[in-house]
Amino acid sequence: MRGWHMLREEGALTMARQLPVRFDLCASAAFPPARKGRLSLQIRQDLWRMLQDLRGFSPVIRVEEEGQGLRVSAGGRAAAPFPRLDCEARIAALLTSPVHRARWLARARIEGLA
């Protein structure tokens, strides 16, 4: 993906448009095991669609192994001032949306896992 940075660490992947990575706004949620790269791409696309009108917004998605699953932190940079609490509530709602989660996980599923 041109213009995107994929930072890989032991047990984690971070996708960001700009470096250094900065979370001016962020929400997180637990996910079952999945392919980190595919999951981050799917979430980033929907996050961008949702917040593209936020001045200076640049998405960041971090997917970390946590226990038997994953912890996804989604958010990114934004130009101040911005409605942080409203934006973080919208991100949290996106990350817990059953419809979105089902679509994301269908595309990021690991073969052999139910």
Side-chain angles (χ1 to χ4, degrees):
M1 274 185 346
R2 266 189 8 215
W4 286 91
H5 302 279
M6 296 284 278
L7 308 172
R8 298 177 195 281
E9 306 166 45
E10 181 75 28
L13 177 140
T14 303
M15 177 185 290
R17 183 72 146 169
Q18 299 174 317
L19 294 178
V21 171
R22 191 174 85 206
F23 281 102
D24 295 333
L25 61 155
C26 184
S28 65
F31 281 79
R35 292 193 167 131
K36 294 180 196 78
R38 289 184 184 181
L39 183 61
S40 65
L41 175 61
Q42 294 298 312
I43 295 170
R44 184 212 34 101
Q45 289 172 343
D46 286 327
L47 179 65
W48 171 249
R49 287 180 191 118
M50 185 177 72
L51 294 177
Q52 65 184 334
D53 293 334
L54 182 62
R55 190 169 65 88
F57 180 64
S58 179
V60 177
I61 308 296
R62 181 166 175 81
V63 182
E64 300 175 87
E65 294 173 6
E66 180 181 79
Q68 298 299 311
L70 301 171
R71 167 70 47 190
V72 173
S73 299
R77 293 175 180 239
F82 65 93
R84 176 187 306 257
L85 294 178
D86 176 61
C87 291
E88 289 180 339
R90 292 174 64 195
I91 296 168
L94 177 69
L95 292 177
T96 58
S97 163
V99 172
H100 286 93
R101 289 173 67 95
R103 182 169 42 86
W104 298 335
L105 290 168
R107 290 187 169 95
R109 95 182 138 93
I110 298 172
E111 297 300 322
L113 289 180

